[in-house]
Structure formats: C-alpha cells, structure tokens
Amino acid sequence: MTSRRKFVQQVAALGTLSAASAIAPSLARAQAAKLRVGLMLPYTGTYAALGTAITQGFNIAVEENGGKLGGRDIEYFTVDDESEPAKATDNANRLVQRDKVDVLVGTVHSGVVMAMVKIARDSGTLLIIPNAGANAATGSQCAPNIFRTSFSNWQPAHPMGKVMYDKGHRKVVTLTWKYGAGEESVESFKEAFTKLGGSIVKEMYLPFPNVEFQAFITEIASLKPDAVFVFFAGGGAIKFTKDYAAAGLKDKIPLYGSGFLTDGTLEAQGASAQGLLTTLHYGDGIENPKNKQFRYAYGKKYGIQADVYAVQGYDAALLLGSGLTAVKGSFGDKKSLYGALEKVKIDSPRGAWTMSRAHNPIQDIYLRRVEGNANQVIGVAWKALEDPARGCKLGA
Ligand code: BEZ
C-alpha cells in the first residue's frame, strides 16, 4: 500500500475529515460542539513512521475514553507537515485560521515546531507537542498555552555523557543532522561528558535529512575515537546503523545515541542495532501495568509494536482529556484549563510523570540495550530528570 493511501485510511479511521465539513456547512454547524483537534504531523518523508505512531497512540487513548475527550466528541483536522520548516507557518495557519481548531497537536521536527510555537503564542491557541524536542519550546519561548508530552532535546542526551564516561570512554566523535534536534542533543551530551573530563575529538554534521554517511564513517575510522555519539531518528537512523555496521565499525568503535537511534526502527535495523546502548524516556519492556495494557491494545489494533512516539501521542490525548475534564470540556476559562494541565500526573506507559514549571515532562531517563526487536531497559540513567528550561519565566 502506498504511504499516501495508508495515510488517508488512517485519517479516515480517526474520524471526520475537514473536507467533509467544508462540503456540507450544515453538517459542520451540527458538529459545532465537537472538540476541534488539529493534528500537524509528518506522514511522508524520513519521519513519516513517527507521525503515524503519534497519531495511532493518540487514537488509542481516545478510544479508551469512548471516542471523546473531556466529554466531547472530536473532529480531526489533519495536515502532513512533511518535516518541512519552510511550509510550517502556512500549515499551522491553515489549522488555526481556516479550520479554527481548539487545539493544535504537533509535531515531530524541531524546526517545524518552532513555527507552531510562534503561531500558538500569537493566536493563543493551545499547543500540545507530542515529540519535537526544541529546547526553546519549553525554554525561552515557553508560554501558558504551550505544553509538551515528549522531552526537550536536552533531556535524553544528557545522561549519556555519564554513561559513556563510566564505560571508560574519554575521546568521542559526535555525528548528527545539522538542525535543532541534532545540534541540541550533541550540545547536551557534550555538556555532561566534558564536565566529567571527557573530550570531543570532532563534531560532525550533515544536512537534514541526508543519509550519505560514507565519508563521515570513513573519517571516524581514521580518527579512531574511543566511541561515537549520534542523534538520528526514523529512516535516517535505520540507514546509519546499517552503514556503520557494514563498514565494520560496530565491533571496533562503540556507537551510542539518544534512544531515537533504535526506537521504532529495530525490525529494519536487524543485526546492525543488536547490543547498542541508548538513553531515552521509554523502553519496550518497562514493567508497569499501564505499559502492558497500552502495548497490548496498540499491537492488537495496529499489528505492530508500540514505540516511544506512540507513547507520546497517547500521553498527548491523556493530557488533553484530563485537562478538559477538569474544566467540564470548556475552553471558556483558559486560566483554569492551563492550571489543570499544569497539575496533571500522567499515568503513562513510560511510568508516571508530571509537568515542569515550563510545561515539559519531569521523567526518568532509562538506559536501554537492544536485544532482538526490543529496547530492553537495563537501568535508570537519570531519575526524574527535569529540563533546565533556560530562559523560561513561567512559574519562576
Ligand atoms: C526533533 O526534531 O525534535 C526530533 C525528531 C525525531 C526524534 C526526536 C526529536
């Protein structure tokens, strides 16, 4: 099935398409009381699988809640943002100005989310971020109406500094895409690793979403660092671990990353990912009843294993549902709604988490090892890690 056909089917399965209300205004009027949810996510490109998993996770929570959130039926308005920052402002404006959504949910890519953050700040629309880690979204650009159910780019990478130092590595090469998520992940890793006494031999970058890794891998082989730290995700992560292994480096120069390197990708990565250590706020085998229940429901409905992106989408719907329930489904009193969202304790498959003052999860970061098709949790790399929220004045 083409990704386009699959995408259309998924959106149709979620509920009413926005086009339907454009064709039939009377129907749209009849649906006025529905909660208007704008999903802005990538359904094509390197991060397509991530956008789909978030959508599916969101849908599982809504289904568990009888198809409603905060007691209201839902009308979905969906945009494929293609992980393309140049189109992000127009895409978000379509949802806010044309479709008049009550809430924007998105996105995956840090560059795209910053356009959404600006529109949310300017329009006052509630924004729930189910992945993109751009530090500024809950840092210098934090706002009363902006909440995140995923992580800041600083969070998953930071504990890896100590993990790698404790493994005895002292000289490390970093490699990533040159855009917000890659740069901020490397910066955070570097902050922790160099503070302990480690040094960075070379920082390497390639443009997003290029996957021509060969020249970099050749240079890593000649530099002979103790280890390599990378940020890659989605299709790029699959290509990278395969190229790294094919070049014969996997058993010579240990490879580490924030956990996006091996999340939702293991089947395609096969042997190239076996044994890799990563840090992330989720792991496949987390032993809690919520995770078991979620993974079972997700597998049953979609026929694939849940991953971190599905969990973040699920938690976005839990957050919205719980905030709206506290204010009886109404957006009339925004202060009370945001107050309720700030106070939530989300019973997540990743383990319970709470909101920081900047509206970003305070959460455990796990150390995981790839075993077969699972990211097995082998320890907690950092308990209840809170993003420093540099530049955010909320709650200060
Ligand atoms: C980001 O752009 O923020 C991002 C994308 C994929 C995985 C993690 C972060």
Side-chain angles (χ1 to χ4, degrees):
M1 194 186 308
T2 64
S3 58
R4 171 78 197 150
R5 257 181 67 207
K6 209 162 125 199
F7 164 60
V8 170
Q9 276 180 10
Q10 278 156 356
V11 173
L14 276 174
T16 320
L17 276 169
S18 56
S21 49
I23 295 163
S26 56
L27 179 64
R29 268 196 301 281
Q31 291 170 341
K34 284 188 175 177
L35 177 66
R36 300 168 79 85
V37 175
L39 294 179
M40 180 164 152
L41 290 162
Y43 296 107
T44 52
T46 299
Y47 288 160
L50 287 58
T52 300
I54 290 167
T55 308
Q56 293 176 166
F58 193 94
N59 197 28
I60 292 276
V62 170
E63 278 191 2
E64 280 176 2
N65 210 32
K68 295 175 195 274
L69 288 178
R72 289 172 68 178
D73 288 328
I74 301 169
E75 182 171 11
Y76 290 99
F77 298 82
T78 307
V79 167
D80 174 8
D81 71 35
E82 306 166 46
S83 295
E84 178 49 87
K87 298 182 184 170
T89 300
D90 283 351
N91 281 334
N93 266 331
R94 248 167 69 197
L95 292 169
V96 171
Q97 308 292 348
R98 187 192 70 184
D99 299 329
K100 309 226 173 319
V101 298
D102 296 307
V103 53
L104 271 176
V105 178
T107 185
V108 167
H109 184 285
S110 275
V112 175
V113 93
M114 288 317 295
M116 299 179 78
V117 162
K118 174 152 188 1
I119 285 167
R121 287 171 63 98
D122 291 349
S123 67
T125 309
L126 173 61
L127 169 62
I128 298 182
I129 305 170
N131 185 74
N135 289 339
T138 55
S140 63
Q141 300 305 305
C142 72
N145 58 321
I146 298 175
F147 292 82
R148 181 149 54 192
T149 61
S150 50
F151 56 90
S152 72
N153 288 325
W154 182 89
Q155 269 178 317
H158 200 74
M160 194 39 108
K162 178 160 165 47
V163 169
M164 288 176 69
Y165 190 86
D166 288 350
K167 291 270 173 208
H169 305 312
R170 296 294 179 267
K171 293 183 186 313
V172 165
V173 165
T174 65
L175 172 62
T176 188
W177 283 311
K178 191 152 189 63
Y179 86 102
E183 290 172 321
E184 290 179 350
S185 298
V186 164
E187 200 48 46
S188 176
F189 160 73
K190 204 167 85 178
E191 184 184 310
F193 185 64
T194 56
K195 197 167 163 198
L196 290 166
S199 66
I200 305 297
V201 178
K202 185 157 187 184
E203 287 179 36
M204 298 177 173
Y205 296 95
L206 72 166
F208 174 87
N210 282 13
V211 290
E212 300 307 321
F213 297 124
Q214 213 47 59
F216 299 97
I217 290 174
T218 303
E219 193 178 350
I220 289 169
S222 74
L223 286 169
K224 296 190 180 52
D226 296 343
V228 174
F229 172 87
V230 298
F231 165 89
F232 291 114
I238 295 169
K239 174 82 167 34
F240 182 74
T241 62
K242 286 185 151 181
D243 286 2
Y244 197 79
L249 290 196
K250 182 168 184 289
D251 299 323
K252 288 201 188 119
I253 305 177
L255 174 65
Y256 299 83
S258 48
F260 311 107
L261 182 65
T262 59
D263 226 85
T265 49
L266 288 177
E267 222 170 288
Q269 286 170 315
S272 73
Q274 291 308 305
L276 293 185
L277 293 180
T278 63
T279 42
L280 200 65
H281 49 289
Y282 183 62
D284 298 313
I286 289 176
E287 284 286 332
N288 69 44
K290 190 72 173 188
N291 194 37
K292 284 189 184 148
Q293 171 206 321
F294 173 69
R295 294 187 71 86
Y296 176 76
Y298 194 89
K300 189 161 169 237
K301 186 164 173 69
Y302 297 110
I304 52 166
Q305 296 286 319
D307 57 22
V308 69
Y309 310 106
V311 169
Q312 294 166 172
Y314 181 76
D315 288 3
L318 289 189
L319 174 72
L320 181 58
S322 112
L324 274 179
T325 300
V327 293
K328 300 192 171 46
S330 167
F331 279 81
D333 179 357
K334 295 255 172 91
K335 201 158 176 264
S336 298
L337 172 61
Y338 301 155
L341 293 173
E342 282 170 351
K343 284 187 206 76
V344 293
K345 181 170 184 187
I346 299 290
D347 181 18
S348 168
R350 75 185 88 167
W353 60 266
T354 54
M355 276 295 171
S356 72
R357 68 173 176 88
H359 302 173
N360 187 68
I362 300 174
Q363 56 194 339
D364 294 347
I365 305 293
Y366 302 102
L367 177 61
R368 308 113 46 89
R369 182 172 43 227
V370 176
E371 290 169 15
N373 272 348
N375 285 290
Q376 292 297 354
V377 171
I378 57 171
V380 176
W382 205 303
K383 188 95 194 126
L385 185 58
E386 179 171 355
D387 177 84
R390 291 166 185 146
C392 176
K393 304 271 186 303
L394 280 178

